[in-house]
Amino acid sequence: MKTDQGAADGITQPLLLWYDNNKRSLPWRETKDPYRIWVSEIMLQQTRVEAVRGYYQRFLEALPDIGALARAEEPYLLKLWEGLGYYNRVRNMQKAAIRVMEEYEGRMPDCYELLLSLPGIGEYTAGAIASIAFDRVAPAVDGNVLRILARLWGDASDIADPGVKKAFAKRLLAYIPQDRPGDFNQALIELGAVVCVPNGKPKCGECPWREICIAKKEERTDLLPVKSKKKERSIEKKTVLLILDGSHVLLHKRPKSGLLAGMYEFPMADGWISAARAKEMTAELGLSPLRIRKSTEAVHIFTHKEWHMHSYLVTVADTMPEAKAKKTPWQEYVLIPPGELDKTYPLPSAFKAFRHIIG
Ligand code: ADE
């Protein structure tokens, strides 16, 4: 009945027909394997399709099923995710994989509610997996889908409001066809990516809804959607210390919780500190700084903050291992040959700009 309504008012069928003729060929569209679809959807949050392609193949070759993900050592896992950023995404995937192994005999649960109960799987992702992998009628509404629906319906509600998102999802439910819910959701995503685009003018001439879109009819595509501004990101000044002796570089392990939890970083100070202070800090670790010079500057943007980083390259006497044996704060530090940075210690993207300096 619901399907008929969608077909009757020209929403569902024209969209599916357009999708059949225009969809991009993407590796995660060749499978019904819920694990693969899950991996793709998590990677595609915050990362562009073209960038995801390579990571997707590599990840699945390394960890071909849920059991392999559940068993992976964390450093290996983070290494596979390196470059994608937002590392909690993959940490949560592993937590969810462990739950799936323990509670569901290694098989991904096949309904929206159970998917939603797993770590890292929110409403959008639960809807995407339930519909694409299991043919469940469930909406998958992200920011791109909100944009096209606001235009289609000529609705000026604030799409940043979670209540509006819920209302849109509920309204959309009536148009999801029983026989192709996954294709319907992917068609919406596709329309948002290639026609009703996020930046710049929508290509209304190519849109399957050009006859019924209210924003187009009323020439309001540039006014919709309405989206209230997010809080501005805070800016934090940092100084990165690249501390090297003849054969090692010093890394610091971040605290267990919070931003980049448990990851290794170059030691870092708050603020932009002077060379003299940087030398002092190095000495406070029981090291003997020989030379110091100013090095690269970099900016890294997180969701809620920006790090504006200066850096110093500090060369110290070959005494790091001895200092390490003596000093208490050293349990938070590791000393490694620079080559191991790429093999064993995944460096968060925030520090990538400094990687080449270490050699
Ligand atoms: N973005 C989020 N999910 C996607 C999908 N399944 N295909 C293409 N882009 C996407």
Side-chain angles (χ1 to χ4, degrees):
M1 227 163 54
K2 285 172 179 171
T3 311
D4 290 342
Q5 184 198 341
D9 64 12
I11 288 182
T12 306
Q13 293 312 327
L15 179 67
L16 287 173
L17 191 62
W18 172 84
Y19 182 64
D20 290 339
N21 292 324
N22 294 281
K23 69 174 175 214
R24 288 169 295 177
S25 152
L26 299 172
W28 47 90
R29 290 187 176 159
E30 322 261 293
T31 180
K32 290 288 258 186
D33 177 351
Y35 173 63
R36 289 174 174 253
I37 289 161
W38 178 30
V39 170
S40 75
E41 290 298 340
I42 299 294
M43 285 187 173
L44 286 159
Q45 291 166 15
Q46 325 269 2
T47 311
R48 286 176 312 105
V49 165
E50 286 317 315
V52 164
R53 278 180 191 266
Y55 288 109
Y56 175 79
Q57 304 291 17
R58 190 182 66 165
F59 191 92
L60 289 171
E61 270 160 33
L63 303 172
D65 52 45
I66 297 179
L69 171 58
R71 291 187 299 271
E73 299 284 346
E74 187 171 82
Y76 180 58
L77 195 60
L78 298 177
K79 198 76 212 163
L80 282 170
W81 205 260
E82 202 175 40
L84 282 162
Y86 305 93
Y87 289 87
N88 276 342
R89 291 188 290 171
V90 71
R91 286 208 176 95
N92 279 331
M93 277 188 80
Q94 185 172 49
K95 284 187 199 146
I98 293 168
R99 286 258 308 270
V100 171
M101 296 306 287
E102 287 173 354
E103 295 173 25
Y104 301 100
E105 296 173 341
R107 279 189 297 276
M108 206 70 180
D110 66 357
C111 73
Y112 175 86
E113 281 74 19
L114 290 178
L115 287 164
L116 189 61
S117 73
L118 293 172
I121 298 191
E123 290 172 1
Y124 166 80
T125 311
I129 300 170
S131 63
I132 300 169
F134 298 115
D135 294 315
R136 302 281 182 188
V137 173
V141 177
D142 68 356
N144 293 303
V145 173
L146 286 171
R147 176 179 63 257
I148 53 186
L149 294 178
R151 288 179 176 159
L152 172 68
W153 294 329
D155 191 324
S157 309
D158 178 4
I159 61 164
D161 176 348
V164 170
K165 185 172 170 179
K166 269 203 165 42
F168 274 32
K170 195 166 165 208
R171 190 170 171 191
L172 186 64
L173 199 56
Y175 300 100
I176 305 178
Q178 306 276 348
D179 55 340
R180 299 182 65 191
D183 283 349
F184 179 84
N185 282 334
Q186 293 220 68
L188 287 174
I189 292 163
E190 198 73 353
L191 195 65
V194 303
V195 173
C196 204
V197 290
N199 302 305
K201 262 191 160 337
K203 300 169 186 161
C204 297
E206 296 169 29
C207 182
W209 292 339
R210 60 187 172 272
E211 305 296 337
I212 57 169
C213 176
I214 294 178
K216 176 170 187 299
K217 190 154 89 194
E218 298 178 353
E219 297 184 3
R220 288 197 292 144
T221 54
D222 54 340
L223 300 176
L224 293 173
V226 172
K227 187 175 180 187
S228 60
K229 278 253 174 310
K230 273 203 221 135
K231 245 180 56 199
E232 274 190 25
R233 278 192 292 264
S234 59
I235 292 179
E236 292 180 2
K237 293 178 183 169
K238 300 277 180 190
T239 304
V240 170
L241 302 182
L242 308 163
I243 302 178
L244 284 160
D245 71 7
S247 50
H248 301 93
V249 60
L250 185 65
L251 296 183
H252 173 250
K253 191 170 165 74
R254 290 184 62 83
K256 277 210 188 75
S257 60
L259 189 67
L260 303 177
M263 306 208 52
Y264 284 92
E265 64 182 357
F266 297 119
M268 204 165 48
D270 290 334
W272 291 337
I273 62 173
S274 65
R277 176 65 195 130
K279 254 180 141 170
E280 235 172 61
M281 282 183 64
T282 309
E284 282 162 14
L285 283 167
L287 302 171
S288 311
L290 302 174
R291 283 185 305 281
I292 182 160
R293 70 169 171 81
K294 203 147 194 329
S295 189
T296 304
E297 295 180 5
V299 171
H300 189 78
I301 297 177
F302 297 97
T303 314
H304 302 297
K305 63 173 75 169
E306 295 178 16
W307 281 353
H308 291 210
M309 294 172 282
H310 287 182
S311 71
Y312 291 104
L313 177 61
V314 190
T315 312
V316 298
D318 282 342
T319 51
M320 285 222 260
E322 292 96 88
K324 185 170 177 170
K326 282 190 233 139
K327 282 277 177 180
T328 37
W330 276 80
Q331 64 251 33
E332 297 158 20
Y333 291 85
V334 288
L335 265 179
I336 58 158
E340 282 200 28
L341 263 179
D342 306 309
K343 281 195 245 107
T344 323
Y345 293 90
L347 202 55
S349 305
F351 299 100
K352 278 289 143 65
F354 306 103
R355 172 66 189 89
H356 70 281
I357 295 160
I358 310 302

